[in-house]
Amino acid sequence: RSNLQRQSWAMDVVLGQVEQLPALLAVSRSALVRDWDSLTLDRALEWARYFQHLYDRFCARPQLREAFGRRLRRSQPYPLLGFPTLGRCPQLLGLALLENRALPPAAFCRLLRSLLQPPGAGAGPGPRDVGLLARRKAAACLLPLVRRRPRRPPGPEPQLQAEAQLLLSRLREEEREVREAAGQLRWLCGVLEQLPQPRAFEVVAAALALLEQGDGSGTEQAGDGDRDGSSLDEYQASAAGERCTAGVLLSWLLGNQERFSAFCLCLPCSLLAFLAGHYSQLRRPYLDLLTGWGSHLLYDPLQGRWVKSCLDKAELSWEELREHFICLCQGSTLLKEQTQAALKLLRTQDGDFKVCGLSVWTDLLMEL
């Protein structure tokens, strides 16, 4: 019993130390580092390596993982921290300090030396972590810059493709480190909140399109396995990973009705039809949304056309609604058949009229 008490006391001490991780990361991003000297920096890096050691030691023990995660989630304003954060602590701390201009020159030079020195030569993460730090620094610099980026004219946009590929790359990293879908979704929400809403929708749509087309890091790479006879296993594993990545993006998109509605209002009809044609999870919500918008149109006999029932609502006009359905019917055979079947069912529910001006669904079918 005495031994168990000592072990329990020791674990309480460790949990108390882990609870200080959010404070360490917060300080590393604050102006308080202006008072840091080389000794203080070394102590901070030692704490980061200690937290990484805890991750390596307890990553295979689910109960302790959960205990660590609960302690980390107690601390605000960092609700996204979890047990995997311990394993990335040296990288997170190094990145925060590299970006913090308040860090004095002497401490900054000490930090660079600790990052660049060979493994086993002393404090700090090894060179294998420098590439990861560079990628994450690039991500941190690129995503916020979008807020200040001037709008481009319509057409191909290489920067949008780059941002989508960057998002997919980081999401795959997060999936490897955080197995729970809920944790991945929380991370994704935190990242997309940094972008203005229209741009966040564009990046998510581009990422979904890249996943379907193959973005060079997924199923297309599996073809190289033909040489060693393992192509089928590699392809299946890659395809499963892409489905998981797409599932997280779709969960974010469909998890909030207002968000999905804004998504469909912001993006071109052709792109929405492409996504609905390739992701079955999107078809029914998209058709239901169009149905809701169409049901708010009223026929004006004086003008001889369908008009919005309330001009101050973010609803589609008759012309816009028709364009959405035209794009859906120009998609795959399955998508066209499902769209027409939905419209015919709506027309039947409206009285199955075959005369213009009595049912918006009748008029849409006649237009199509």
Side-chain angles (χ1 to χ4, degrees), residues 13 20 30 43 59 97 123 127-128 143 199 264 315 327 352:
V13 172
Q20 303 305 312
S30 74
R43 284 202 299 267
C59 62
L97 292 172
R128 63 185 179 85
L143 289 176
R199 190 59 174 185
C264 294
E315 297 171 349
C327 288
D352 205 15

Side-chain angles (χ1 to χ4, degrees), residues 212-272:
E212 180 55 37
Q213 297 168 350
D215 65 337
S217 59
T219 56
E220 290 183 345
Q221 289 181 337
D224 295 337
D226 292 338
R227 302 188 186 97
D228 57 14
S230 61
S231 60
L232 180 59
D233 291 341
E234 291 182 8
Y235 175 82
Q236 291 174 341
S238 179
E242 301 300 73
R243 286 194 298 271
C244 181
T245 302
V248 176
L249 292 169
L250 292 171
S251 295
W252 175 82
L253 187 58
L254 298 174
N256 183 289
Q257 182 62 27
E258 291 184 3
R259 177 188 299 150
F260 182 61
S261 176
F263 176 84
C264 294
L265 284 170
C266 288
L267 297 180
C269 303
S270 56
L271 178 55
L272 293 171

Side-chain angles (χ1 to χ4, degrees), residues 143-368:
L143 289 176
L145 282 175
V146 178
R147 292 180 234 182
R148 301 186 294 273
R149 190 185 60 83
R151 298 294 299 171
R152 293 190 178 194
E157 192 173 355
Q159 184 171 343
L160 177 60
Q161 300 295 314
E163 291 165 17
Q165 289 173 337
L166 174 62
L167 179 65
L168 290 175
S169 176
R170 276 295 290 118
L171 187 53
R172 291 185 184 109
E173 284 186 24
E174 198 69 19
E175 287 170 0
R176 286 192 292 268
E177 297 171 353
V178 182
R179 298 297 180 182
E180 301 84 2
Q184 299 163 17
L185 185 57
R186 286 194 299 270
W187 175 87
L188 181 64
C189 290
V191 169
L192 295 177
E193 284 175 359
Q194 300 179 39
L195 297 176
Q197 194 173 78
R199 190 59 174 185
F201 293 151
E202 292 172 356
V203 172
V204 169
L208 288 169
L210 284 173
L211 286 173
E212 180 55 37
Q213 297 168 350
D215 65 337
S217 59
T219 56
E220 290 183 345
Q221 289 181 337
D224 295 337
D226 292 338
R227 302 188 186 97
D228 57 14
S230 61
S231 60
L232 180 59
D233 291 341
E234 291 182 8
Y235 175 82
Q236 291 174 341
S238 179
E242 301 300 73
R243 286 194 298 271
C244 181
T245 302
V248 176
L249 292 169
L250 292 171
S251 295
W252 175 82
L253 187 58
L254 298 174
N256 183 289
Q257 182 62 27
E258 291 184 3
R259 177 188 299 150
F260 182 61
S261 176
F263 176 84
C264 294
L265 284 170
C266 288
L267 297 180
C269 303
S270 56
L271 178 55
L272 293 171
F274 172 84
L275 296 177
H278 289 87
Y279 293 100
S280 58
Q281 305 96 311
L282 282 177
R283 292 173 198 162
R284 176 48 53 190
Y286 184 33
L287 284 172
D288 288 345
L289 188 62
L290 294 178
T291 300
W293 284 334
S295 65
H296 287 90
L297 292 176
L298 297 177
Y299 190 76
D300 186 341
L302 297 179
Q303 300 184 49
R305 65 187 184 92
W306 293 91
V307 297
K308 294 181 181 180
S309 60
C310 186
L311 294 178
D312 61 348
K313 288 186 178 180
E315 297 171 349
L316 298 182
S317 67
W318 159 258
E319 292 77 15
E320 292 167 335
L321 184 69
R322 181 181 59 188
E323 185 66 24
H324 277 269
F325 278 103
I326 288 175
C327 288
L328 286 172
C329 289
Q330 290 175 344
S332 65
T333 301
L334 176 61
L335 183 60
K336 178 181 178 181
E337 291 174 351
Q338 290 180 343
T339 302
Q340 292 181 337
L343 284 173
K344 290 176 182 177
L345 177 60
L346 290 167
R347 181 181 66 182
T348 301
Q349 293 172 347
D350 244 9
D352 205 15
F353 297 106
K354 303 294 194 302
V355 181
C356 291
L358 296 180
S359 170
V360 65
W361 315 119
T362 296
D363 290 12
L364 276 172
L365 280 168
M366 295 176 69
E367 288 279 346
L368 296 174

